[in-house]
Amino acid sequence: MRALHMTAAPASDPPQHYLGGIALRLLAMLSLSAMFVVVKYISAAGIHIVESLFWRQAVVLPLLILWALAHGGIGLFATHRIGVHARRAVMGLTGMALNFGGMIFLPMAEATTINLSVPIICVFLAAALLGERVGIARWSAVIIGFVGVLVVLNPTTLLLDGFRGDHGLGTLIALGGAVMTALITIQVRDLGRTESALTIVFWFSLISLIPLGIALPFVITSHSAGEWALLVGLGLFGAVAQLSLTGALRLAPVSVVTPMDYSSLLWSIVCGWWFFGTMPAETTWIGAPLIVASGLFIAWREHRLHIERRKDITA
């Protein structure tokens, strides 16, 4: 879902428009919240998650092609790193399935809060897998954010319950989705050195449709007009979110737009209450501010480090 957050801007270096980038990022968060509302309704209707994932990707692909045709042609999708795109697609499809599952089993606000831990996990993975140097300030932010995650997860209760029931299972799935999204972010950091965000999204959508298309005949069922509307809406909301994410990264730096991601927590609280009559648990109210504060500090620190690196280059 949030794997494009760290994607570098395309090499074409388009004009910067910070307010426009922020507005698009906010639109993306609203669209993602609407998409997850649809995910919960689709699950309640008994539609298999594989079919949900298929239509989520199938609706996006033609819209991406139309976008490309309006901005220079399908040559924008050319790549010499198809193997890396395939690996990213496998990881992305797994992460999307876990994020869908977390939303199905948990209240929206709780699942969203767990997913907001992605920047915190990214710092740890970047240090462990890429050997990135992490100073005491960022490690402190990671520890604070980790405490927030523990508060939201409420591990004592989960252990006493033996991870039984929808809540325990949903917590594990949502946490797995956050870890997978962080791994995807690390992968996209590498892809972003040579590929535009649009190219990454296109190949992810196209490649992931192959296994989904093979599995679809085994799970697809007949649908009412209302269910087809939900499936199309799922794809459309996903497309708006994906294209808005891409557009935001073209208009403004990553460090400017990613703090807007925390607006998704507000939307998830409103949508959860309005559509499903659920409110966040007490632990979510306590842990979420710690996670948000940690993530905002990490984003600010990344921005400062980027400025310092640019000064060193131009000095």
Side-chain angles (χ1 to χ4, degrees):
M1 188 175 63
R2 294 177 175 88
L4 294 177
H5 292 181
M6 303 299 295
T7 306
S12 57
D13 195 20
Q16 298 290 278
H17 190 293
Y18 283 20
L19 289 179
I22 289 171
L24 282 179
R25 196 71 173 199
L26 289 171
L27 175 61
M29 295 304 107
L30 175 58
S31 300
L32 284 173
S33 295
M35 183 186 76
F36 285 127
V37 168
V38 175
V39 166
K40 292 180 79 70
Y41 274 118
I42 285 175
S43 175
I47 298 174
H48 198 282
I49 191 172
V50 169
E51 186 174 0
S52 299
L53 292 169
F54 176 85
W55 292 111
R56 160 66 177 84
Q57 299 295 74
V59 174
V60 169
L61 195 60
L63 295 178
L64 289 173
I65 294 173
L66 290 175
W67 177 287
L69 291 175
H71 293 81
I74 58 174
L76 292 173
F77 302 137
T79 182
H80 298 290
R81 306 182 68 187
I82 191 65
V84 181
H85 281 289
R87 183 166 65 246
R88 182 264 185 272
V90 172
M91 295 169 64
L93 190 57
T94 303
M96 188 184 298
L98 290 171
N99 286 325
F100 275 32
M103 283 291 172
I104 291 170
F105 287 111
L106 293 177
M108 285 188 65
E110 190 169 340
T112 299
T113 301
I114 294 173
N115 190 257
L116 289 177
S117 65
V118 167
I120 302 166
I121 300 172
C122 278
V123 173
F124 176 80
L125 291 178
L129 301 180
L130 303 180
E132 288 189 8
R133 296 180 60 184
V134 180
I136 187 64
R138 280 198 291 171
W139 276 127
S140 299
V142 168
I143 292 171
I144 292 172
F146 182 69
V147 170
V149 173
L150 288 179
V151 171
V152 173
L153 294 180
N154 197 359
T156 301
T157 301
L158 289 176
L159 289 173
L160 289 175
D161 291 342
F163 292 93
R164 293 187 295 269
D166 288 351
H167 188 270
L169 178 60
T171 300
L172 288 176
I173 292 173
L175 186 59
V179 173
M180 184 57 68
T181 301
L183 286 169
I184 295 164
T185 301
I186 300 297
Q187 178 73 72
V188 171
R189 280 184 181 179
D190 175 61
L191 270 174
R193 293 186 297 106
T194 58
E195 315 284 73
S196 71
L198 192 68
T199 302
I200 295 171
V201 175
F202 172 80
W203 286 107
F204 169 46
S205 300
L206 182 63
I207 295 173
S208 62
L209 278 174
I210 297 173
L212 290 173
I214 294 173
L216 184 65
F218 298 98
V219 298
I220 192 171
T221 57
S222 59
H223 303 304
S224 65
E227 289 171 347
W228 277 116
L230 286 174
L231 289 169
V232 173
L234 175 69
L236 289 177
F237 283 127
V240 171
Q242 204 75 74
L243 294 175
S244 297
L245 289 169
T246 303
L249 290 170
R250 289 184 62 84
L251 291 178
V254 171
S255 58
V256 171
V257 299
T258 51
M260 301 304 106
D261 293 0
Y262 295 99
S263 65
S264 63
L265 182 55
L266 173 62
W267 292 123
S268 66
I269 292 173
V270 172
C271 290
W273 169 73
W274 183 266
F275 292 101
F276 307 107
T278 59
M279 290 294 288
E282 292 180 1
T283 52
T284 303
W285 290 112
I286 299 171
L290 296 176
I291 296 172
V292 171
S294 173
L296 289 175
F297 177 82
I298 291 171
W300 173 81
R301 185 62 179 162
E302 290 287 344
H303 178 58
R304 296 301 305 170
L305 291 174
H306 177 69
I307 292 175
E308 292 172 7
R309 284 192 290 266
R310 291 189 64 178
K311 286 181 178 178
D312 291 340
I313 293 173
T314 57

